Amino acid sequence: MRHLILALTPLALLFAGSALAHPGHLSHSHTGSFMAGLTHPLTGLDHLLAMAAIGLWSFRQAGALRRAMPLLIALGMLAGASLAWMGIPLMGVEFGIASSVLLAGVLLASLVRLPSALGGMLVFAFILLHGHAHGSELAPGASALLYAAGFVATSVAITLTGRVLGEWLSRRDNRWLRGIGAAIAATGGTLLMG
């Protein structure tokens, strides 16, 4: 496991400068399209890592939280984007997003099980920030509905893929999950510092 962490941490640091998937990252000429919504969560390391870590972590949670995870992801993304579209700012969104990467990585590395209500609130809070950042990038006159449908679909897909991968890895050795979580947490720490 130590070798995995040592191997992945420098790799994560190489991508830290391009990790902020938010203001100014995408060309806004296609930001309102369904395809832009589908691809946007894949172009930012911060969003990709947070969603993957939540998915990897979620398979070990109680059944209620595990079953609710896709809905929590969708509702959090839509709620955050809606706040942005209504012009309601959230303080420290980028700091919160970097923190969500760090904390999701810590949750995964520790393999902690949380009560469903607490875990659900934490995930919703993380995702609300990501949704706000995505929503703030909607180009004027673009279709919010198409853009949101795309980024919600991809965010849920990343999380569910993470869950399946988490189940597969746990059958082999939990050290892989811990190592991946540590690498994600290290990347989140780097984002917080940079």
Side-chain angles (χ1 to χ4, degrees):
M1 180 177 78
R2 188 177 69 194
H3 297 294
L4 176 65
I5 294 169
L6 291 174
L8 292 179
T9 299
L11 182 63
L13 295 175
L14 289 174
F15 291 106
S18 63
L20 298 177
H22 305 297
H25 186 71
L26 282 180
S27 162
H28 288 285
S29 61
H30 294 81
T31 304
S33 73
F34 179 71
M35 188 56 71
L38 279 176
T39 59
H40 186 65
L42 300 171
T43 62
L45 188 62
D46 53 359
H47 189 77
L48 186 60
L49 289 178
M51 297 296 107
I54 289 168
L56 286 161
W57 169 79
S58 71
F59 88 93
R60 295 191 44 135
Q61 302 309 301
L65 180 56
R66 202 171 44 249
R67 285 187 299 275
M69 196 61 65
L71 183 60
L72 285 171
I73 299 297
L75 291 177
M77 291 296 290
L78 291 173
S82 295
L83 290 173
W85 296 332
M86 290 185 291
I88 300 171
L90 296 178
M91 299 300 292
V93 170
E94 290 299 329
F95 178 81
I97 288 171
S99 297
S100 76
V101 175
L102 171 65
L103 293 173
V106 168
L107 289 173
L108 177 58
S110 65
L111 299 177
V112 67
R113 291 181 192 218
L114 296 177
S116 292
L118 177 61
M121 287 188 298
L122 190 61
V123 167
F124 185 83
F126 289 170
I127 303 309
L128 182 81
L129 296 169
H130 288 267
H132 193 279
H134 286 307
S136 68
E137 295 186 343
L138 182 68
S143 169
L145 181 63
L146 290 175
Y147 184 54
F151 69 66
V152 166
T154 299
S155 297
V156 169
I158 293 167
T159 306
L160 292 176
T161 300
R163 182 190 301 170
V164 170
L165 180 60
E167 291 173 10
W168 183 79
L169 288 172
S170 73
R171 287 193 296 267
R172 277 129 189 92
D173 191 341
N174 278 337
R175 289 182 293 181
W176 281 101
L177 289 171
R178 290 183 186 278
I180 292 168
I184 290 171
T187 303
T190 302
L191 293 173
L192 282 172
M193 291 185 293

